[in-house]
Amino acid sequence: MRKQRTIQNEVTASGKGLFSGVDAKITFKPAPQNKGIVFLRTDVDPPVAISATVDSLITKDRRTALGKGELVVEMTEHCLASARALQIDNMYIEITAFEMPGFDASSLDYFKLLRKAGICEQKAVQPKLVVKEPVFVSEGDATICAMPSMSENLHINYDLDYTQHTGIGRQLYSSDITEINFERNLAAARTFLLEAEALQFQAMGIGKHLGPKDILVINSDGPIKNSYRMPDECVKHKMLDLIGDLALVGVPLVANIAAYKSGHSLNQKLALKLRNQYLRHIQMEKTGTDALLDIKRIQKILPHRYPFLLVDKVLEIIGDQEIVGLKNVTYNELFFQGHFPTTPIMPGVLIVEALAQISGLLFAQRLENTGRIAVLLTMDGVKIRKPVVPGDQLILRAKTKKVRSRTAQCRAEAFVGDSVVAEAELKFMLMDD
């Protein structure tokens, strides 16, 4: 275990946003221990602080954006990758616009700036997440998995598969993420686009200030009016992005990451799952339970009480998009007295009710829904696939499909082990308590 670190001196730089072309000034400042990395939008009064963790994620194509309310900071990944490589745990990043400077579309300038600021140790010990069981996410044929590591570092294996594009091809790279390796092999790797993508973006008014000399635009013959800094620059930039996205876990990782065709969206999903794993670990140390929400906290959100509270604890929360909870089914349940005395089976309607309750906990993760109750409106595609009996552990999973100001919709499933026992599309009215 090591001590926490921040920067010694204030440093400032300016540049244009890579996507928007907006002028932005950034100032890196030391931060106290246990603060983490915090972006400060100083172009508003009072300044708004945005924490560099998955809790602040905002969905944007091809970049990592963080936000609070209506204010965002975009293109944070190159800066955060450099901070993680230099093991900077606490830092304020003041910014005067909504997008970080793009510089040369790599992390090199950020790395040099932060090293110039100097690094100093603080008194507090820096916690870390040691991955002890595989965590896997996928989208189509793209996959990424975090596995236990034999070393004390974050190790990444990245497989970039552009075999259909001869200008890039298939590239593989593997490395421990240390300061030396990052500086020598990763920091200078630049963002790249296929020629068709670049034309599409400029038609949409994105990146109009850029030309082929400012960013890698690749056709079937390779970079247009440019050249690679290294033969495998594309895969190294993908790894750089991944390091920046995984920094949103909020603590250093000790893991072996295997990625295939992974981009920001998939990276962020993995970071969300790892953040939940870390929070469960902290919760276990504090309370002896791995619940992100225990029964006391659930009762502060849901109005249900005995015998109708059907969620015992919440194990995983992925922003406001997905939730996983648990209901222990025992023979002492009130409904088993009559359903059925000689062959006890949990009523299917109560399994659906449990799914509705876990969905209500999911919608409550949105700040604007605090104090609201999710009242069930409709149930579509309901299927009760297998009986649930005493001794079963019912895993409840809900994924957001649509949330509006007064209504919300989700896809919900209940499992026993790996088997789906019930599923439904649920729609709710969000009502003031």
Side-chain angles (χ1 to χ4, degrees):
M1 298 184 73
R2 63 170 176 84
K3 297 297 181 82
Q4 292 183 23
R5 290 153 59 104
T6 188
I7 57 175
Q8 279 184 317
N9 304 298
E10 184 177 311
V11 288
T12 299
S14 298
K16 290 184 178 294
L18 199 63
F19 280 77
S20 65
V22 66
D23 290 313
K25 178 183 177 181
I26 52 170
T27 304
F28 296 100
K29 293 184 175 181
Q33 59 191 27
N34 299 314
K35 189 67 180 178
I37 294 177
V38 179
F39 291 91
L40 289 167
R41 282 283 301 270
T42 57
D43 54 323
V44 294
D45 188 19
V48 172
I50 302 172
S51 175
T53 67
V54 291
D55 299 326
S56 304
L57 271 172
I58 303 292
T59 301
K60 293 283 184 180
D61 288 337
R62 298 186 71 104
R63 57 200 184 274
T64 298
L66 307 173
K68 178 182 284 186
E70 296 181 355
L71 290 176
V72 299
V73 179
E74 299 182 12
M75 281 295 293
T76 61
E77 61 269 28
H78 298 170
C79 172
L80 293 176
S82 294
R84 179 54 66 215
L86 289 164
Q87 296 187 335
I88 299 170
D89 308 299
N90 305 301
M91 179 170 59
Y92 292 118
I93 306 170
E94 295 183 352
I95 180 169
T96 61
F98 66 88
E99 185 178 359
M100 296 285 284
F103 299 128
D104 68 348
S106 78
S107 281
L108 191 58
D109 286 298
Y110 285 114
F111 188 85
K112 289 178 178 178
L113 270 171
L114 293 173
R115 176 175 275 176
K116 178 182 175 183
I119 312 294
C120 65
E121 279 195 349
Q122 298 170 293
K123 292 182 179 180
V125 170
Q126 174 59 39
K128 60 186 176 182
L129 172 59
V130 180
V131 173
K132 295 183 178 179
E133 55 187 36
V135 181
F136 176 85
V137 289
S138 64
E139 288 177 355
D141 63 344
T143 61
I144 185 169
C145 183
M147 298 168 287
S149 173
M150 297 298 290
S151 75
E152 287 299 310
N153 295 313
L154 173 64
H155 184 90
I156 299 179
N157 305 273
Y158 198 105
D159 184 350
L160 180 71
D161 190 354
Y162 272 71
T163 49
Q164 73 276 32
H165 299 287
T166 56
I168 300 175
R170 189 165 188 175
Q171 301 178 12
L172 293 91
Y173 190 71
S174 179
S175 175
D176 273 0
I177 308 307
T178 64
E179 180 179 339
I180 293 174
N181 285 345
F182 188 87
E183 179 183 18
R184 289 179 179 173
N185 302 308
L186 299 173
R190 295 163 293 172
T191 299
F192 65 92
L193 289 168
L194 299 177
E195 184 179 20
E197 294 171 329
L199 293 172
Q200 183 182 12
F201 276 1
Q202 292 209 323
M204 296 166 59
I206 299 172
K208 279 193 169 182
H209 62 294
L210 298 174
K213 293 182 179 179
D214 302 308
I215 191 170
L216 281 176
V217 179
I218 302 169
N219 63 16
S220 58
D221 297 321
I224 300 172
K225 297 181 181 179
N226 210 323
S227 59
Y228 288 124
R229 289 177 174 173
M230 52 202 92
D232 51 359
E233 185 170 2
C234 293
V235 69
K236 287 178 176 177
H237 185 80
K238 284 289 189 178
M239 187 180 288
L240 185 154
D241 282 345
L242 176 54
I243 295 165
D245 291 337
L246 292 178
L248 298 176
V249 175
V251 294
L253 289 175
V254 177
N256 189 0
I257 307 290
Y260 175 70
K261 298 174 71 171
S262 179
H264 286 301
S265 174
L266 204 58
N267 298 345
Q268 292 161 13
K269 287 183 178 180
L270 180 65
L272 282 161
K273 283 182 172 286
L274 291 172
R275 176 71 175 174
N276 278 327
Q277 188 179 103
Y278 173 69
L279 293 176
R280 286 200 303 271
H281 173 71
I282 297 298
Q283 184 76 0
M284 179 69 78
E285 286 186 341
K286 287 182 178 178
T287 66
T289 174
D290 62 350
L292 290 183
L293 298 178
D294 61 15
I295 194 64
K296 290 182 180 179
R297 296 179 67 188
I298 289 171
Q299 287 180 307
K300 290 180 180 179
I301 300 171
L302 295 180
H304 307 75
R305 294 297 182 267
Y306 174 84
F308 228 65
L309 180 53
L310 300 174
V311 182
D312 291 332
K313 64 179 179 179
V314 172
L315 299 172
E316 189 172 346
I317 302 172
I318 301 178
D320 58 1
Q321 295 300 305
E322 187 174 347
I323 194 168
V324 179
L326 182 148
K327 163 66 180 169
N328 289 304
V329 182
T330 77
Y331 185 70
N332 291 323
E333 306 286 354
L334 191 64
F335 48 77
F336 282 138
Q337 294 182 28
H339 196 276
F340 304 99
T342 58
T343 310
I345 297 174
M346 184 174 183
V349 290
L350 292 186
I351 301 176
V352 176
E353 171 61 26
L355 292 173
Q357 291 181 20
I358 198 70
S359 302
L361 290 167
L362 173 60
F363 301 136
Q365 301 307 308
R366 286 197 172 203
L367 186 61
E368 59 267 33
N369 291 335
T370 302
R372 287 180 166 185
I373 298 172
V375 178
L376 190 59
L377 283 180
T378 65
M379 301 178 289
D380 293 316
V382 178
K383 293 183 176 65
I384 309 299
R385 297 191 175 277
K386 291 186 177 182
V388 176
V389 299
D392 282 344
Q393 194 172 67
L394 201 58
I395 302 298
L396 309 166
R397 184 186 299 272
K399 295 183 179 181
T400 299
K401 291 191 69 176
K402 189 184 297 181
V403 179
R404 294 178 176 166
S405 59
R406 304 300 297 181
T407 61
Q409 192 173 347
C410 71
R411 170 76 180 169
E413 294 177 306
F415 297 80
V416 173
D418 294 328
S419 299
V420 178
V421 296
E423 58 185 283
E425 300 270 349
L426 304 176
K427 187 174 181 180
F428 299 83
M429 176 71 75
L430 301 176
M431 300 179 63
D432 294 331
D433 190 355

